């Protein structure tokens, strides 16, 4: 099964991806995580991506397509994968179709901007194990400490009000057209992202089946 997750920043793509990989045993590909890793390693790619990501804009289609093209060749992708945050433009979606034929389902998690901005600024992540929390909806048991590994939680550089607003604008201009793109292919499944994490998962599982 080849799935893509579409949604504005903080819609819950990463949260749902983790549940989907557990259930369907798929490889997980998050272009945002891959870019953040390059930034933290200080590679040439990371240096190029750092300021673009902090501003809320998108890195170039060419660059991200080159990364995904290589990643989906890996062994763990042979039984299927979930792409979280790719494609983000119609050019990327067309390229993906060229590379893999077509996706089985594009899952669009739909949320209003106002709620997303609140989620963005309340998000905390664990720099060690990658667990994600939210001060409002998914707080850690001990404030600022990861439940899983005890590490001090951090906030992403682009999870500020200013960068959050820019990311939402980028989504509406450059990524929202993907909804129509996959609707026309009859591959779109839209789910309300405001119904609670487990309800969102149940709706997606019901659509995908066993
Ligand atoms: P990326 O890392 O993909 O960021 P994003 O799309 O902005 O998405 P987020 O990670 O912020 O949110 P999410 O939808 O995964 O939500 P989450 O599950 O964490 O990309 C970062 C940057 O990299 C981009 O801005 C761009 O510059 C670059 N980039 C990446 N891919 C690219 C591409 N293809 N082309 C070009 N550039 C690219 O949840 C958010 C919070 O809400 C959490 O705290 C969570 O606990 C909570 N939450 C989740 N679901 C719910 C719910 N149902 N109810 C209540 N709370 C919830």
């Amino acid at each position: 099964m080849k799935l893509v997750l579409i949604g504005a920043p903080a819609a819950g793509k990463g949260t749902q991806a983790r549940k989907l990989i557990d259930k369907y045993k798929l490889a997980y590909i998050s272009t945002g995580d891959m870019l953040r890793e390059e930034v933290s390693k200080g590679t040439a790619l990371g240096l190029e991506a750092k300021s673009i990501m902090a501003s809320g804009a998108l890195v170039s289609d060419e660059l991200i397509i080159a990364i995904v093209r290589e990643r989906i060749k890996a062994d763990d992708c042979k039984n299927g994968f979930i792409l979280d945050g790719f494609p983000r433009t119609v050019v990327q979606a067309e390229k993906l179709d060229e590379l893999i034929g077509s996706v089985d389902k594009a899952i669009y998690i739909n949320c209003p901007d106002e709620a997303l901005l609140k989620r963005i600024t309340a998000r905390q992540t664990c720099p060690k194990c990658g667990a994600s929390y939210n001060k409002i909806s998914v707080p850690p048991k001990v404030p600022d400490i990861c439940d899983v590994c005890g590490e001090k939680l951090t906030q992403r550089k682009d999870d500020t009000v200013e960068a959050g607003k820019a990311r939402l604008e980028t989504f509406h201009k450059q990524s929202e057209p993907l909804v129509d793109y996959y609707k026309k292919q009859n591959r779109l499944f839209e789910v309300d992202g405001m119904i609670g994490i487990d309800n969102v998962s149940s709706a997606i599982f019901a659509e995908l089946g066993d």
Side-chain angles (χ1 to χ4, degrees):
M1 189 154 51
K2 292 167 187 155
L3 305 174
V4 304
L5 285 167
I6 305 168
K13 303 182 293 297
T15 302
Q16 296 303 326
R18 281 184 279 277
K19 289 172 174 278
L20 286 160
I21 54 173
D22 273 358
K23 183 167 169 77
Y24 297 107
K25 310 294 172 221
L26 302 169
Y28 176 46
I29 306 172
S30 158
T31 44
D33 284 353
M34 289 165 88
L35 289 170
R36 275 184 290 278
E37 203 181 324
E38 297 292 330
V39 171
S40 75
K41 284 186 192 158
T43 63
L45 165 58
L47 291 176
E48 192 179 334
K50 190 175 179 177
S51 58
I52 299 172
M53 291 170 79
S55 75
L58 299 183
V59 306
S60 73
D61 286 336
E62 292 72 26
L63 196 150
I64 206 80
I65 287 165
I67 293 176
V68 171
R69 185 192 288 120
E70 284 313 302
R71 178 65 184 89
I72 59 179
K73 285 181 192 162
D75 272 357
D76 67 333
C77 292
K78 291 214 165 77
N79 293 326
F81 49 81
I82 298 178
L83 281 159
D84 164 5
F86 182 95
R88 251 180 161 94
T89 63
V90 169
V91 170
Q92 292 177 18
E94 287 169 348
K95 194 67 201 180
L96 181 64
D97 283 349
E98 227 177 280
L99 290 172
I100 66 166
S102 62
V103 302
D104 293 301
K105 199 67 82 178
I107 299 162
Y108 171 40
I109 308 175
N110 192 0
C111 298
D113 285 7
E114 243 181 54
L116 292 178
L117 207 51
K118 282 189 192 145
R119 276 194 205 168
I120 286 171
T121 49
R123 174 172 38 195
Q124 293 183 300
T125 45
C126 176
K128 196 170 168 194
C129 72
S132 175
Y133 300 88
N134 192 284
K135 286 182 191 171
I136 302 163
S137 55
V138 194
K141 288 182 190 124
V142 178
D144 304 326
I145 300 295
C146 179
D147 292 352
V148 183
C149 69
E151 190 76 8
K152 190 165 170 45
L153 300 175
T154 55
Q155 192 177 31
R156 262 169 52 177
K157 295 257 183 305
D158 59 352
D159 275 349
T160 59
V161 174
E162 196 190 350
K165 282 184 181 164
R167 285 159 66 201
L168 286 166
E169 204 182 315
T170 301
F171 172 78
H172 292 303
K173 275 195 192 145
Q174 294 184 258
S175 306
E176 219 164 22
L178 291 169
V179 173
D180 267 348
Y181 180 87
Y182 286 114
K183 214 179 254 176
K184 279 184 193 143
Q185 289 191 355
N186 215 10
R187 297 190 187 272
L188 190 83
F189 174 64
E190 182 170 339
V191 58
D192 180 357
M194 296 302 294
I195 56 175
I197 292 172
D198 289 341
N199 291 328
V200 175
S201 307
S202 301
I204 298 172
F205 294 162
E207 172 70 15
L208 298 177
D210 287 328

